[in-house]
Amino acid sequence: MPTALRLLPALSPDHRARLMSLAREVSFPADGKIFEAGGTADRFWVVRSGTVSLHQRVVGERRISVATLGPGDLLGWSWLFPPHHWDFGAEAFSPVRAYEFDAAEVRTLCDQDPALELSLTRTIAAILAHRLETTRAALIEHYARHGGGGVR
């Protein structure tokens, strides 16, 4: 993903410092579930190292990977938009180290600093637009390869 679509470099140094003041370092083991679609989105992460697979359930219980995230990538955006439930699931593909942010704390910080909120929202919107296009392409490719999986 181009640097312009990464959260931290897109923020001004002051906004980045304010956001990072809320960060805590966390890790996830390989194959560890980070969150499931439908769960409460009360935090988000910026991946420092490792790889995360985003997945979506399709036809029954089948699950397909729709994106792979790596160092510098934003993991989780559902915390920003009500009803604050995850739209995808996420799993650590390899051991992952990340900065974790509590959503309520970040929303409070944004309430106190409208310029930060605007910058954060615009950057996340750009990331979402890119992810939407790659997800759409992954789903089209999946269904083209597998003949629609019996869906009519």
Side-chain angles (χ1 to χ4, degrees), residues 28-37 55 63 89-92:
F28 301 98
D31 299 324
K33 179 175 65 171
I34 300 172
F35 57 82
E36 281 293 332
H55 54 81
R63 192 175 84 173
E91 187 174 298

Side-chain angles (χ1 to χ4, degrees), residues 35-133:
F35 57 82
E36 281 293 332
T40 301
D42 60 356
R43 62 198 66 245
F44 67 96
W45 302 264
V46 172
V47 178
R48 294 183 58 218
S49 65
T51 308
V52 175
S53 174
L54 292 179
H55 54 81
Q56 182 67 51
R57 293 223 181 264
V58 295
V59 187
E61 291 299 308
R62 274 185 37 205
R63 192 175 84 173
I64 64 167
S65 178
V66 294
T68 301
L69 306 178
D73 287 334
L74 170 69
L75 172 59
W77 51 266
S78 299
W79 63 274
L80 189 57
F81 306 104
H84 308 294
H85 294 287
W86 299 118
D87 289 313
F88 298 95
E91 187 174 298
F93 187 74
S94 66
V96 170
R97 290 180 26 225
Y99 294 118
E100 182 177 82
F101 299 87
D102 179 273
E105 289 179 358
V106 174
R107 286 192 297 267
T108 297
L109 182 64
C110 287
D111 288 343
Q112 297 166 357
D113 186 345
L116 170 61
E117 180 177 28
L118 180 60
S119 179
L120 193 60
T121 302
R122 283 183 174 171
T123 302
I124 292 173
I127 291 168
L128 287 176
H130 177 76
R131 297 252 178 98
L132 179 61
E133 182 56 33

